[in-house]
Amino acid sequence: MQNELVLLHGWGMNQGVWQLVQPELEFLYSGNVRSLDLPGFGNSIACPSPYTLHDAAALLSEQLQPQSILMGWSLGGLFALYIAKHWPEKVSKVILVASTPFFAELIDWPGINSKVLEQFKDQLVNHREKTIERFLAIQAMGSESARDDIKQLKLLLNQYSAPNTEALMAGLDILKNEDLRELFTRCPVSIKGIFGRLDALVPYKVIAEISALNTEFEYEVLDKASHAPFISHKREFLSVVKSML
C-alpha cells in the first residue's frame, strides 16, 4: 500500500487552503491524500493548553498513519519537521512549501522581523479578523495574481470554523521562537522544499542558508511565486510535487 500524503496548512489558516490542489494531488499521487487542521485551527477539536509546538505536534502525530509523507506549508512545515524528528516511524518524507526551519530574522539569517510578529500579536487581541486579513495580504505580496489569490484563500478558509485565539497567539510565538535548524541538519527522513522567489515571509536569500544545513536537502524555486505557490502557480507547483513524490 502506498504511503499517505498528508497536507498541513499555515498560521491563521485551515485545511480549506488545500482544496484547490487536493483533487490534482490525488490524481497525481494515486494514493490517499488527506489534509488535516493543525490543533486549534479549523474544525480540529483538540487544542493543548498551554499551547506548545511539542504538545500540538504530538496531537497531530496521533492522526498519522506510519510512513506518511508530510507536506507542510509555512507554519505547517515546522510541524512536519518536528514530527519527523520526534515520531520518525510516522514519517517517510517531508516536503516543505514556503517554509523554513527557523522563521525569525537574525543578523546572519534572513527571515521575518520579530517586530512584525509582535505587532500581529498585539493586533490579534482586538482585531482577529483584520489581523488574519493583513497576514493574507503579506502572503500574496509579490505575486502577479495577489488580489485574486487573497479572494480565493478567504473563500476557502471561511468554509471552516474560525481559529482558536490561544492557538493563534501560540502560532506566532512558534514562528518567532522555534529554531529547528539543528533538527533540520540531523533529520532522520528525506526533506524536499518548494519556494517562491518573491516570498516576503521566507526570503529568497534564506534558501542558501537552509541548504547549507543539510547537504541532502533538494529544492525548487518558482520564480514568479510568493508565499502561496500552490494557489498562485498551481501548474508549476504540481509539476514540482510530482517529481518530489
Side-chain angles (χ1 to χ4, degrees), residues 206-242:
V206 83
I207 302 169
E209 306 291 340
I210 296 170
S211 205
L213 296 174
N214 186 327
T215 50
E216 290 174 14
F217 177 59
E218 292 174 12
Y219 65 88
E220 291 277 347
V221 179
L222 303 185
D223 275 341
K224 296 204 168 146
S226 178
H227 193 63
F230 54 95
I231 289 175
S232 62
H233 294 76
K234 192 163 102 172
R235 206 170 335 139
E236 295 98 313
F237 174 80
L238 288 165
S239 161
V240 172
V241 172
K242 187 178 182 182

Side-chain angles (χ1 to χ4, degrees), residues 160-217:
Y160 294 82
S161 304
N164 169 310
T165 303
E166 189 182 356
L168 282 172
M169 289 287 195
L172 289 175
D173 283 337
I174 290 167
L175 288 173
K176 185 180 168 191
N177 301 318
E178 287 289 346
D179 186 348
L180 303 187
R181 287 179 291 181
E182 197 175 316
L183 180 157
F184 186 89
T185 306
R186 306 182 200 292
C187 193
V189 306
S190 151
I191 312 171
K192 314 276 189 200
I194 305 172
F195 299 96
R197 191 181 288 268
L198 308 175
D199 194 336
L201 296 171
V202 179
Y204 177 67
K205 282 189 293 200
V206 83
I207 302 169
E209 306 291 340
I210 296 170
S211 205
L213 296 174
N214 186 327
T215 50
E216 290 174 14
F217 177 59

Side-chain angles (χ1 to χ4, degrees), residues 149-164:
D149 296 353
I150 295 167
K151 219 188 249 171
Q152 226 162 2
L153 270 171
K154 275 165 70 176
L155 283 172
L156 296 170
L157 295 172
N158 288 339
Q159 293 170 25
Y160 294 82
S161 304
N164 169 310

Side-chain angles (χ1 to χ4, degrees), residues 63-154:
Q63 300 175 56
L64 301 176
Q65 293 176 6
Q67 296 293 299
S68 298
I69 298 173
L70 297 187
M71 185 186 286
W73 173 45
S74 198
L75 173 63
L78 286 179
F79 275 86
L81 289 172
Y82 196 90
I83 292 168
K85 175 70 176 174
H86 293 86
W87 297 276
E89 73 286 352
K90 294 281 191 173
V91 185
S92 64
K93 183 187 289 182
V94 168
I95 300 175
L96 299 176
V97 179
S99 191
T100 161
F102 186 49
F103 276 85
E105 179 184 50
L106 297 176
I107 291 167
D108 57 351
W109 187 267
I112 310 173
N113 187 304
S114 60
K115 281 191 189 132
V116 173
L117 292 170
E118 278 305 317
Q119 279 171 354
F120 273 123
K121 226 175 150 184
D122 293 343
Q123 289 161 356
L124 259 184
V125 183
N126 304 314
H127 307 288
R128 189 173 68 179
E129 292 280 301
K130 263 200 184 124
T131 308
I132 293 172
E133 273 200 26
R134 257 196 71 205
F135 196 66
L136 279 174
I138 291 177
Q139 304 206 14
M141 242 160 64
S143 160
E144 290 169 357
S145 54
R147 193 170 284 172
D148 290 337
D149 296 353
I150 295 167
K151 219 188 249 171
Q152 226 162 2
L153 270 171
K154 275 165 70 176

